[in-house]
Amino acid sequence: MAKNVYLNLGKPEELTAVGRALSVPIRAQILAIIAKEQFSIADIARELKIPASSCASHIKALQEANLVRIEQIPGTRGSIKICSRNVDRIDIRLVEPAENVDNVISVEMPVGAYTDVSVYETCGLADEYGLISMDDREENFYLPEHINAKILWTSKGYIEYSFPNQIFSLPFKAKLNRISISAEMCSEAPGFNPDWKSDITLWINEVDCGTWTCDGDYGERRGINNPDYWPLGRTQYGQLTNWEVTRDGAYINQKKIGDLTIDELGIMDSHRIRVRFGIKDNAKHVGGFNLFGKEFGDYKQDIVMGLSYEYAGTKKNET
């Protein structure tokens, strides 16, 4: 597995050790030699045409900076020291992020890239070229082509996505302040029905983050982004709906709907974030939902997750 090292001004000893190790050009040559294969110190010395003692001294400096790893293996005359690289990438940050300033990581997930699904008639999915197989067939949601879907719909059930938790990829410790999920959606009625209400709930990591009641399934005009083949008489567009969970509560479309906080979502417990849209079995309005991607509806976006964070110290080396 690749190993990345993150250095910054908060790690002066590690930073200067790496600087010293790489201050001699021949040591970069050594790293190039062992980039793909393991070699003994004697083999490296022969390759560079330098004395073995000098080679050992250079390798010791690289080892002290944790850039190389040395293992002893049995040889015909005692043991042999074998060198291999210990690091694939070094990220050096000479300017620390400002504290108490929010930054945002944004990930846009295609509508068809779901990881779990439960659908019921009326249901279906389509891409920009046509329906993916036929309407009202649950099995079609498991076709390999589902990844290409740009719109999908179901009369009840749920659809779930696994988003990457890129907070773990930051080269420093971060304090998570807010998560937001944005998607264009509406209810799902046979054909369309602007008076067809539906209670659509969002779960993050199986935690209920609030229910939005959509007034209807909208089809009285064409959606701005719909492909030419998409006929009138079907659902055409939705409403851009936004869920947020912060440190002081949960919100839907900027209206506070509860006291759930981001710390209760267990986001830092996993490298993936599970996001589920669905209809509860006991919902007052079981009216299904449509989810629109970039090529359908009124908004040129897929499902967008935003993670708002601030700098909270340095991050230890990770593999």
Side-chain angles (χ1 to χ4, degrees), residues 250-269:
Y251 299 78
I252 298 177
N253 296 332
Q254 301 183 326
K255 180 180 179 181
K256 189 170 184 179
I257 51 94
D259 295 323
L260 176 71
T261 66
I262 195 165
D263 290 334
E264 298 175 70
L265 300 181
I267 290 175
M268 299 309 295
D269 294 339

Side-chain angles (χ1 to χ4, degrees), residues 42-94:
D43 289 336
I44 296 171
R46 280 193 292 271
E47 179 72 18
L48 294 173
K49 297 180 174 58
I50 62 174
S53 58
S54 298
C55 185
S57 177
H58 290 306
I59 289 172
K60 182 180 179 182
L62 293 169
Q63 184 185 26
E64 289 175 349
N66 291 317
L67 299 181
V68 301
R69 182 172 61 252
I70 298 178
E71 299 176 85
Q72 288 193 341
I73 63 172
T76 56
R77 297 180 181 178
S79 61
I80 300 174
K81 290 184 177 180
I82 298 295
C83 303
S84 58
R85 62 182 171 83
N86 197 43
V87 171
D88 298 299
R89 174 180 172 181
I90 301 173
D91 186 311
I92 298 177
R93 183 181 294 269
L94 297 180

Side-chain angles (χ1 to χ4, degrees), residues 108 111 150 225 292-297 299-302:
E108 192 165 7
V111 165
K150 303 300 189 297
N225 300 309
F292 300 80
K294 288 181 178 179
E295 283 74 19
F296 282 83
Y299 298 90
K300 202 71 173 174
Q301 73 159 66
D302 290 303

Side-chain angles (χ1 to χ4, degrees), residues 2-6 87-91 316-319:
K3 180 176 181 180
N4 299 333
V5 174
Y6 300 97
V87 171
D88 298 299
R89 174 180 172 181
I90 301 173
D91 186 311
K316 295 180 180 179
N317 295 355
E318 289 189 350
T319 56

Side-chain angles (χ1 to χ4, degrees), residues 224-243:
I224 294 172
N225 300 309
N226 291 352
D228 292 340
Y229 83 85
W230 193 250
L232 295 173
R234 283 185 176 269
T235 303
Q236 296 293 323
Y237 65 94
Q239 296 184 46
L240 191 62
T241 308
N242 189 65
W243 280 263

Side-chain angles (χ1 to χ4, degrees), residues 56-170:
S57 177
H58 290 306
I59 289 172
K60 182 180 179 182
L62 293 169
Q63 184 185 26
E64 289 175 349
N66 291 317
L67 299 181
V68 301
R69 182 172 61 252
I70 298 178
E71 299 176 85
Q72 288 193 341
I73 63 172
T76 56
R77 297 180 181 178
S79 61
I80 300 174
K81 290 184 177 180
I82 298 295
C83 303
S84 58
R85 62 182 171 83
N86 197 43
V87 171
D88 298 299
R89 174 180 172 181
I90 301 173
D91 186 311
I92 298 177
R93 183 181 294 269
L94 297 180
V95 178
E96 290 296 348
E99 296 191 39
N100 302 316
V101 174
D102 269 10
N103 298 279
V104 177
I105 295 173
S106 183
V107 178
E108 192 165 7
M109 183 70 68
V111 165
Y114 51 81
T115 51
D116 192 13
V117 64
S118 175
V119 297
Y120 299 82
E121 296 182 21
T122 54
C123 62
L125 58 173
D127 60 24
E128 62 269 46
Y129 306 109
L131 295 178
I132 297 176
S133 194
M134 297 180 289
D135 284 333
D136 301 333
R137 299 284 187 174
E138 179 183 353
E139 62 269 22
N140 292 340
F141 280 77
Y142 302 101
L143 290 169
E145 295 90 337
H146 80 74
I147 192 71
N148 300 319
K150 303 300 189 297
I151 184 174
L152 59 82
W153 59 96
T154 179
S155 62
K156 58 179 181 177
Y158 64 83
I159 192 91
E160 183 172 289
Y161 300 85
S162 291
F163 281 81
N165 188 351
Q166 291 187 300
I167 293 295
F168 286 106
S169 298
L170 296 173

